[in-house]
Amino acid sequence: MMMMIMKKLRNPLVYGDEFRCFSSRGFRVLAYSTQTPNDVANTSSTAAGTGTTLYNRLVRYRDPSVILVLDQWVGEGRAIDQEDLHRIIKQLRKFGRYKHALQICRWMNDKPYLDFSHREVSVELDLTSKVYGLKKAEEYFNKIPNTSRVWQVYGALLNCYAKAKSVEKAEATMQKMRELGYSRPLTYNVMMGLYSATEKYDKLDPLMEEMEQKGIHIDKFTYAIRLNAYAKTSEIQKMEKLLLKMEADPDVIMEWNVYTLIANGYLKAGEKEKALVSLKKSEYLIRPSQRKSAYEILITLYASAGRKDEVYRIWNLYKNIGKFYNHGYLCLLSSLAKLDCIEDIEKIYEEWEAQNTYFDFQVPNLLITTYCKKGQLEKAEALIKKLIESGKEPNASTWSRMALGYVKIDGMEKAVEAMRKSILGSFHGWTVDTATLSACLDYLEREGHLDEAEEMIKSLHEKGHLSKGVYMSIVKNLSRKSLVQDLI
């Protein structure tokens, strides 16, 4: 019956040729396709890949749709294990490949011989929101019969609203869950996380009080959300009081990240000595599998505390873990930048340059930013020249940083050229620094180069960084002051 109900949810106008999915644990079948392996292989030379497992084929696949890979696997007479597909979907979600994960879900649901559970309804609801937006997720939810809307499904909808920061809809869903008797610690944690993200801190304590009154277990996540809110607002006494309560709770196992959260609160309030004590407590609780992420956070916090010696001590522990990549260097370099240790930054950059196996422009860009802040533009220029000579073309962020550096030393001619390169090399999601752009436009106005200013604005529009309305408004104005105001 559930399969028949969910089949009716398909809307071809919304989902096109993709398929819907629900699966259950441990259900294993051997499925056969109407196509032969050769037929499928001839359809796409890249579909099968070289993977010997379905996991390898799907996770490595980069084409817009993974349906062909699944069909070919079945066409080869191979077994489909739904739990394997669950693990693959989980991994794809971890990588942010939500569309592929959703395609696998729908492919599974299109197969009458595959079973599904309410858990899969929740997963698809979440993925629909991520891929198609909140409106489509609501349409999907509204087609689910009331009898099938178990607490996990409502919880998934609540989570969609929380991620979209839609407070009113989340509150309405939360109230509905209360009425249905679906109150769980997770439900309250989602709402508390939403209130914290939207800075509605006054609503946190009433929720915790409600949990206590209803006998709903306050877990480590509940504590962490409230502690973090206290840290953000520098309510140190309340933070300390709640921490003591958490430490005394026999049902809560203290973990390292709680104390880094507390340390961050102390640092924000200017209490460095208390922060250092908390960081030491954090170190004692780090498990081997947690060392990489924990050490990166500790490096950052010790830098915020002004402790260069501790930064290097943790860095040496970090290096002893084993192989690591650019993220660790970025963490150390940004921490040294906080400490204003330019010579140390140059030394670590040289170490990275000698050892890195995967080039990432974020690393040299960080050093370029440091040089620009220091007014050492010649060093920044020399680094860029070296990168270009080695075949590495600077990106939009590189030139944007250089433009800002030139503006600071009143090198406006070079600033304009760097800004022009930044715009030409920009990408989707790149954001122009309006202060730097304004300075460049003001300079071009003073020099009488209005055509160059208009060309710069045109490039911004063509690259998708200005809406048509803003662009048309700008080009109608000859005064740079009016133009700059439109931009801001």
Side-chain angles (χ1 to χ4, degrees):
M1 176 61 70
M2 186 68 174
M3 177 62 76
M4 292 176 64
I5 291 170
M6 300 312 296
K7 293 295 183 185
K8 293 179 182 179
L9 297 185
R10 181 178 299 125
N11 184 344
L13 296 178
V14 175
Y15 302 120
D17 293 328
E18 293 171 346
F19 301 104
R20 191 178 293 285
C21 126
F22 308 102
S23 62
S24 64
R25 296 189 178 190
F27 189 83
R28 192 179 186 88
V29 300
L30 184 62
Y32 297 92
S33 170
T34 56
Q35 291 176 294
T36 67
N38 287 337
D39 290 333
V40 179
N42 290 334
T43 306
S44 171
S45 59
T46 61
T50 57
T52 56
T53 67
L54 185 57
Y55 175 91
N56 287 335
R57 291 191 189 184
L58 289 170
V59 173
R60 293 175 182 175
Y61 200 64
R62 289 295 184 271
D63 280 8
S65 175
V66 296
I67 300 301
L68 193 60
V69 178
L70 291 162
D71 287 341
Q72 181 167 351
W73 181 267
V74 173
E76 293 170 357
R78 296 175 180 264
I80 290 289
D81 187 325
Q82 289 189 214
E83 194 58 31
D84 284 344
L85 288 177
H86 261 299
R87 285 190 286 269
I88 292 168
I89 290 170
K90 183 178 180 180
Q91 194 67 20
L92 290 173
R93 293 173 78 186
K94 181 179 178 182
F95 293 155
R97 291 169 57 188
Y98 305 120
K99 191 169 186 178
H100 280 170
L102 187 56
Q103 288 168 355
I104 295 171
C105 281
R106 293 173 177 170
W107 181 89
M108 291 166 65
N109 188 46
D110 191 59
K111 304 297 179 276
Y113 45 76
L114 295 181
D115 195 10
F116 64 94
S117 71
H118 296 296
R119 180 180 67 166
E120 281 66 48
V121 180
S122 304
V123 170
E124 184 169 353
L125 179 59
D126 177 72
L127 289 170
T128 300
S129 178
K130 286 182 169 67
V131 177
Y132 295 109
L134 194 56
K135 183 178 179 181
K136 296 303 180 186
E138 290 175 325
E139 290 176 3
Y140 173 78
F141 177 83
N142 290 335
K143 293 175 184 178
I144 300 172
N146 288 333
T147 54
S148 300
R149 295 178 185 178
V150 295
W151 79 266
Q152 294 93 332
V153 175
Y154 269 103
L157 180 65
L158 179 65
N159 200 50
C160 290
Y161 287 137
K163 288 181 179 178
K165 295 185 179 179
S166 180
V167 176
E168 290 185 5
K169 289 186 175 182
E171 288 177 334
T173 303
M174 176 71 172
Q175 182 56 36
K176 183 66 175 179
M177 294 181 75
R178 286 189 183 102
E179 294 169 2
L180 293 171
Y182 289 167
S183 297
R184 302 286 192 283
L186 178 59
T187 310
Y188 285 86
N189 291 342
V190 170
M191 282 305 302
M192 289 183 66
L194 173 58
Y195 286 143
S196 184
T198 53
E199 298 184 354
K200 298 182 183 296
Y201 302 122
D202 58 311
K203 295 193 174 186
L204 295 176
D205 286 337
L207 274 184
M208 288 190 72
E209 290 170 6
E210 182 181 330
M211 292 177 73
E212 291 179 338
Q213 291 171 2
K214 292 184 175 181
I216 298 172
H217 177 59
I218 295 177
D219 60 21
K220 61 181 181 181
F221 302 107
T222 319
Y223 282 116
I225 294 168
R226 193 64 188 100
L227 286 170
N228 189 49
Y230 283 140
K232 285 181 178 179
T233 54
S234 295
E235 297 179 87
I236 300 303
Q237 290 185 346
K238 290 182 178 180
M239 182 182 75
E240 291 173 335
K241 183 178 179 180
L242 186 61
L243 176 63
L244 289 173
K245 183 178 179 180
M246 184 180 183
E247 289 174 328
D249 191 330
D251 295 324
V252 174
I253 298 174
M254 299 301 293
E255 297 186 12
W256 67 273
N257 48 12
V258 172
Y259 289 104
T260 57
L261 186 157
I262 295 297
N264 195 47
Y266 282 134
L267 288 171
K268 184 176 175 63
E271 300 192 29
K272 290 186 178 181
E273 292 305 316
K274 286 186 175 182
L276 292 172
V277 172
S278 292
L279 291 176
K280 292 297 182 183
K281 288 182 179 180
S282 175
E283 288 188 51
Y284 295 137
L285 297 174
I286 298 171
R287 296 194 296 270
S289 62
Q290 301 171 327
R291 288 179 298 174
K292 185 178 181 296
S293 58
Y295 288 160
E296 288 173 358
I297 291 174
L298 286 170
I299 287 171
T300 301
L301 290 174
Y302 275 126
S304 297
R307 294 296 298 270
K308 179 180 172 181
D309 57 332
E310 295 291 349
V311 167
Y312 274 112
R313 180 178 66 82
I314 300 297
W315 174 246
N316 289 329
L317 292 174
Y318 185 92
K319 290 197 293 185
N320 289 334
I321 295 174
K323 194 172 184 179
F324 61 93
Y325 299 96
N326 296 323
H327 196 271
Y329 278 106
L330 283 167
C331 177
L332 178 62
L333 288 168
S334 60
S335 296
L336 292 172
K338 280 185 184 179
L339 295 166
D340 199 24
C341 301
I342 191 165
E343 291 182 0
D344 291 79
I345 293 172
E346 290 174 326
K347 181 180 177 181
I348 296 299
Y349 178 80
E350 290 175 1
E351 179 184 314
W352 169 81
E353 199 174 27
Q355 295 184 10
N356 88 89
T357 56
Y358 174 73
F359 183 83
D360 185 348
F361 241 110
Q362 290 184 85
V363 182
N365 278 351
L366 199 152
L367 179 55
I368 289 167
T369 299
T370 304
Y371 285 145
C372 289
K373 286 181 177 179
K374 290 286 186 180
Q376 299 179 0
L377 275 297
E378 290 182 0
K379 282 190 172 184
E381 290 170 340
L383 178 55
I384 290 175
K385 181 181 178 182
K386 182 179 178 182
L387 290 166
I388 293 173
E389 289 174 349
S390 66
K392 299 173 178 66
E393 194 64 30
N395 58 27
S397 295
T398 310
W399 293 120
S400 180
R401 294 159 198 247
M402 290 300 296
L404 178 58
Y406 287 130
V407 167
K408 286 186 174 181
I409 63 169
D410 202 28
M412 293 310 302
E413 190 172 332
K414 287 186 174 181
V416 168
E417 182 59 26
M419 177 56 68
R420 184 180 292 112
K421 290 180 179 179
S422 180
I423 294 170
L424 290 174
S426 64
F427 46 86
H428 179 71
W430 176 80
T431 303
V432 64
D433 185 288
T434 54
T436 306
L437 178 62
S438 297
C440 291
L441 294 172
D442 284 339
Y443 168 77
L444 290 172
E445 180 193 16
R446 291 195 304 271
E447 297 298 313
H449 301 312
L450 295 182
D451 55 336
E452 290 185 37
E454 289 170 3
E455 186 63 32
M456 190 175 288
I457 296 301
K458 183 180 178 182
S459 295
L460 274 169
H461 173 59
E462 290 175 345
K463 287 284 187 176
H465 305 304
L466 287 180
S467 68
K468 185 176 180 179
V470 173
Y471 171 69
M472 294 303 293
S473 175
I474 289 172
V475 295
K476 288 179 182 178
N477 294 298
L478 295 178
S479 167
R480 285 313 100 197
K481 291 180 181 179
S482 177
L483 189 154
V484 170
Q485 186 61 42
D486 283 335
L487 280 171
I488 295 172

